[in-house]
Amino acid sequence: MCLIIYNSKYRVFSAPVWTPNDAPNDWTAAKLFVANADFHMHQFRTHALFCHITQEPLCVATSKMLPECHPVFKLLRPHFHGELSVLLQLLFVFKFLGVRFDFHQ
């Protein structure tokens, strides 16, 4: 159970703090914002990075280097169906938002 929600990227003492003792709507709104931020961090950082962006080289190499009659190509083709179009849309969104990838975090 969450006991406190601290709303600041940096440690600033004047940042708002919510607890379960606050008004019910304020506490619910704070939990909603935290859940929303957690979801977006997971989708854009974890899921997009590890599931889509890391599959691009394997998808391109498989389609360029293996003939269509190769068993590995036949095995991987259904898994890569639509992957490059999803990746292209993802990179357009990242470019629009100004997101840069920093792999040293």
Side-chain angles (χ1 to χ4, degrees):
M1 181 173 137
C2 184
L3 299 177
I4 189 170
I5 295 176
Y6 181 75
N7 185 20
S8 180
K9 184 176 180 179
Y10 307 103
R11 295 191 181 267
V12 179
F13 292 109
S14 62
V17 174
W18 288 276
T19 65
N21 297 330
D22 289 339
N25 290 338
D26 292 342
W27 179 242
T28 303
K31 290 192 303 183
L32 180 73
F33 285 122
V34 169
N36 189 24
D38 181 53
F39 171 78
H40 282 91
M41 285 297 292
H42 168 74
Q43 286 297 317
F44 283 115
R45 186 176 269 176
T46 308
H47 176 74
L49 182 63
F50 294 127
C51 293
H52 293 287
I53 294 176
T54 56
Q55 285 185 358
E56 180 196 14
L58 185 60
C59 180
V60 171
T62 301
S63 63
K64 291 203 176 273
M65 302 304 284
L66 294 178
E68 290 187 17
C69 61
H70 197 280
V72 173
F73 182 86
K74 290 180 180 181
L75 180 69
L76 292 177
R77 184 174 182 163
H79 300 285
F80 291 150
H81 179 72
E83 180 66 32
L84 292 178
S85 64
V86 169
L87 183 65
L88 186 62
Q89 292 173 3
L90 179 70
L91 292 178
F92 277 132
V93 167
F94 282 163
K95 181 74 171 174
F96 176 75
L97 294 175
V99 174
R100 295 183 313 162
F101 293 106
D102 186 10
F103 296 106
H104 301 290
Q105 287 186 347

